[in-house]
Amino acid sequence: MMNNKVMLIQVFIVLFLCINLLQITTFFSKEVFYTTMRYVLFAVSLMSDCLFLFLADILLILSYYRFTIQMWLCLIIYMVSSLYTFVTPVTLTAMTLERYVAICLPLRHAELCSPRSTLHGILIIHSLSSLPCIVVLSIFFASASSASYTQGRLCTVEVFLIHMWQGHLRSAINQFYFLIMCISIVFSYVKIMRVAKAASAEDKQSTWRGLRTVGLHAFQLLLCLIQLWCPFIEAAVLQINLMLFINVRFFNYITFILAPRCLSPLIYGLRDEMFFHALKRLALCCLRKKH
């Protein structure tokens, strides 16, 4: 039987998967959405969040019931979950830079944020997001014996960290990504702030709206990036008390793994007027069909 905490997580995940899937359907309902960079990046983050939430839940249930799986299957799950751990924060950074271009470089926005540039941006996002996983797995493949791939193990990232220095290298890569993304967010915020102060009365409203969006992205990104520090906090707490460790890990899972992935629909989808109206129409159509 599942305890109350795990059941609560299942409710959260099902609820937000339904919301995200509804918004993904809305994205494909209008041509303007899948031909505009900011909406495409939003859809990428939604799809990334759905896949991440699904895999994170599978790993949680496997861990809770102490199920072991063969290493080759764990390898596939780890590759996908590791990739999409980074896709969301990198996409958020790209969305922030798109707002910077739209507000600070409006004459170049059409050129820099064209459909072709959007496709290139998605490829760059996934390439950058895959690098930490490639580094960890390259060292694992070089160190692990061939027999280890058929062994049954609890599926956690720790099974791929054979040497202690691998953990330090992984941490260094995570902190480097954290630094670059923070610099990008701060740079965009400061530039947009300057434009907002100098904007005319009619432009001020849209500029300040863009500034608030960047601020919300920064908050969401901060939650995503704190996730990279959770293993250090949990390792320190484990040395103190096992029950405290379990409670801290549950808090970290809700706050820094689930919450950032559930904020995208609220931050972007519901705040964007055009997208919100399309979403409302789709939801009303679905309700009418049921009746």
Side-chain angles (χ1 to χ4, degrees), residues 199-206:
S200 62
E202 59 186 30
D203 293 333
K204 264 195 190 305
Q205 188 175 0
S206 62

Side-chain angles (χ1 to χ4, degrees), residues 32-52:
V32 66
F33 295 145
Y34 51 83
T35 55
T36 305
M37 177 180 268
R38 72 176 185 271
Y39 293 117
V40 173
L41 292 177
F42 174 55
V44 168
S45 72
L46 284 176
M47 293 175 191
S48 167
D49 292 343
C50 285
L51 192 50
F52 181 87

Side-chain angles (χ1 to χ4, degrees), residues 83 87 120-132 134 177:
L83 171 64
V87 164
H120 292 162
I122 293 171
L123 293 174
I124 291 169
I125 286 167
H126 283 77
S127 299
L128 291 174
S129 301
S130 66
L131 287 177
I134 290 171
Y177 272 63

Side-chain angles (χ1 to χ4, degrees), residues 29-283:
S29 68
K30 274 192 169 185
E31 185 180 356
V32 66
F33 295 145
Y34 51 83
T35 55
T36 305
M37 177 180 268
R38 72 176 185 271
Y39 293 117
V40 173
L41 292 177
F42 174 55
V44 168
S45 72
L46 284 176
M47 293 175 191
S48 167
D49 292 343
C50 285
L51 192 50
F52 181 87
L53 287 171
F54 178 70
L55 289 175
D57 192 41
I58 287 176
L59 291 174
L60 173 72
I61 292 170
L62 289 175
S63 174
Y64 180 77
Y65 286 110
R66 311 294 294 175
F67 282 140
T68 59
I69 59 176
Q70 290 194 337
M71 279 291 288
W72 65 267
L73 181 56
C74 181
L75 186 65
I76 294 170
I77 294 174
Y78 170 71
M79 286 170 63
V80 179
S81 62
S82 175
L83 171 64
Y84 286 98
T85 296
F86 283 91
V87 164
T88 292
V90 175
T91 303
L92 286 171
T93 306
M95 291 169 76
T96 300
L97 292 174
E98 186 275 333
R99 287 294 83 199
Y100 159 72
V101 172
I103 294 169
C104 300
L105 304 169
L107 298 179
R108 299 200 61 197
H109 184 260
E111 173 195 347
L112 295 175
C113 301
S114 65
R116 180 183 289 271
S117 300
T118 303
L119 179 59
H120 292 162
I122 293 171
L123 293 174
I124 291 169
I125 286 167
H126 283 77
S127 299
L128 291 174
S129 301
S130 66
L131 287 177
C133 176
I134 290 171
V135 171
V136 170
L137 292 183
S138 296
I139 300 169
F140 174 76
F141 290 145
S143 306
S145 64
S146 56
S148 65
Y149 295 106
T150 56
Q151 293 175 352
R153 302 282 292 274
L154 278 174
C155 191
T156 63
V157 65
E158 284 74 22
V159 302
F160 301 105
L161 304 178
I162 298 174
H163 309 289
M164 186 178 292
W165 59 266
Q166 284 178 264
H168 297 316
L169 176 61
R170 176 171 168 262
S171 172
I173 293 170
N174 289 351
Q175 302 313 312
F176 176 73
Y177 272 63
F178 177 89
L179 179 63
I180 295 299
M181 286 187 272
C182 283
I183 290 171
S184 301
I185 291 280
V186 172
F187 168 81
S188 300
Y189 192 88
V190 170
K191 290 288 187 180
I192 295 172
M193 177 75 80
R194 288 178 181 172
V195 171
K197 287 181 178 179
S200 62
E202 59 186 30
D203 293 333
K204 264 195 190 305
Q205 188 175 0
S206 62
T207 305
W208 282 104
R209 193 185 301 120
L211 193 64
R212 285 194 299 271
T213 300
V214 171
L216 289 168
H217 282 329
F219 174 69
Q220 187 184 6
L221 185 64
L222 178 64
L223 291 178
C224 283
L225 295 175
I226 289 175
Q227 177 194 344
L228 306 178
W229 297 342
C230 288
F232 303 105
I233 299 169
E234 291 167 7
V237 171
L238 182 59
Q239 304 299 318
I240 301 170
N241 183 278
L242 178 61
M243 187 55 64
L244 180 62
F245 165 77
I246 292 170
N247 291 329
V248 167
R249 193 164 207 182
F250 176 75
F251 174 81
N252 288 344
Y253 187 86
I254 291 287
T255 309
F256 304 121
I257 295 180
L258 297 189
R261 269 76 188 180
C262 300
L263 282 174
S264 280
L266 305 178
I267 286 178
Y268 212 87
L270 301 183
R271 289 182 72 250
D272 186 279
E273 191 174 342
M274 186 188 300
F275 196 88
F276 176 71
H277 287 314
L279 177 65
K280 189 163 70 171
R281 279 197 301 272
L282 181 65

